[in-house]
Structure formats: structure tokens, C-alpha cells
Amino acid sequence: MTVPLDTPIELPGPEDTEALGEALAAGLGPGDLVVLAGPLGAGKTVFVRGLARGLGVVGPVTSPTFVIAREHRPGPGGAGVPLVHVDAYRLGGAAELDDLDLDTDLAEAVVAVEWGEGVAERLAQQHVLVRLERRPDDVRVATISVVARR
């Protein structure tokens, strides 16, 4: 599956959301920042599970809401790139995000930040924005864009 940019993609089930994350991972490497936006239940963590599978990292991917950030190391046969999974929901803003020293992780990992829109973009010159919505019929819709920092 290729990942079309700036085009809404319907995701009927969680497996479709994961598959899209996995497909996006094929084009990511160290230094890439993925910012996930969307309401509660839109599929942000499910999408990151797909990213993790695509990168071949180890460990279960669950929402890092209470630990704020979780690092997943590369597994045998994976892409060799760690994944840092961050949940910015409980952070009080950019200053608290800075305290996590994610710019250091960006040099060698893919960093995915849930609830990161408006907070995490300053970590990199460009980032991938994954906007997820949940329709009333429970189908998710994803729109993926590459955004340069201004």
C-alpha cells in the first residue's frame, strides 16, 4: 500500500488503520517526526501500532498517556530504527515537551507524538501530520500531510 498525501483515506476497521501506519513506516527513518491529531477514539494509538509493526520494533504499543513517552527498540529483522511514542495530551505545553529532550531522540529514532498538533512541530524542520477523524458510522478517516516548519 502506498500512502497518498493530502487525500482522505477511509479506514473501515482497526486493521486498516494499522495497515496505513505500517505503510507510512516504510518511508520513515531516523529523524522523522510524526504528529498525530484527532479526537479521543479516532485511532491514534492504533495507527502507531502499525508504525511500530512497519519499523519492526519490539514491545507492545499502548497509549503512553500516563508515562508520557515510551521507547521501542528495534527488533531482529526490523528496520533498525527505534520508535519513541509520546502522548502530549497531559503536557502543559511546549515547555514540558522540551523537558522530555525529544530533539535528542529525533537524531536516531522515529518520534510519533499523539495530541502533538500545535506543540510538537517545533521539534523538526518538517513533520508528517496524520489527522484522524471518527465518523458516526465508526469508520475512521485519515489525511496525511508533510508539513514544513515556517
Side-chain angles (χ1 to χ4, degrees), residues 18 21-22 24-25 28 34 47-56 83 112:
E18 282 191 36
E22 185 174 5
L24 180 63
L28 298 177
V34 179
F47 188 90
V48 175
R49 267 200 305 265
L51 277 178
R53 187 172 63 223
L55 292 171
L83 171 66

Side-chain angles (χ1 to χ4, degrees), residues 17 55 84 88-89 99 109 120-121 132 135-136:
T17 304
L55 292 171
V84 177
Y89 183 76
D99 289 343
E121 298 91 346
L132 292 156
R135 295 192 323 214

Side-chain angles (χ1 to χ4, degrees), residues 105-129:
D105 293 324
L106 267 169
E108 56 194 50
V110 170
V111 175
V113 184
E114 294 188 34
W115 302 98
E117 190 173 31
V119 179
E121 298 91 346
R122 59 202 217 90
L123 294 172
Q125 289 300 315
Q126 83 172 19
H127 66 279
V128 176
L129 174 62

Side-chain angles (χ1 to χ4, degrees), residues 10-12 39-42 132-141:
E10 288 192 358
L11 305 165
L40 191 64
L132 292 156
E133 299 173 27
R134 182 179 180 180
R135 295 192 323 214
D137 63 359
D138 215 29
V139 169
R140 273 61 174 182
V141 178

Side-chain angles (χ1 to χ4, degrees), residues 5-42:
L5 296 179
D6 304 313
T7 303
I9 304 161
E10 288 192 358
L11 305 165
E15 65 280 356
D16 301 300
T17 304
E18 282 191 36
L20 183 60
E22 185 174 5
L24 180 63
L28 298 177
D32 285 329
L33 173 65
V34 179
V35 176
L36 296 111
L40 191 64

Side-chain angles (χ1 to χ4, degrees), residues 41-68:
K44 295 180 291 295
T45 301
V46 174
F47 188 90
V48 175
R49 267 200 305 265
L51 277 178
R53 187 172 63 223
L55 292 171
V57 299
V58 296
V61 175
T62 58
S63 178
T65 299
F66 297 105
V67 295
I68 309 298

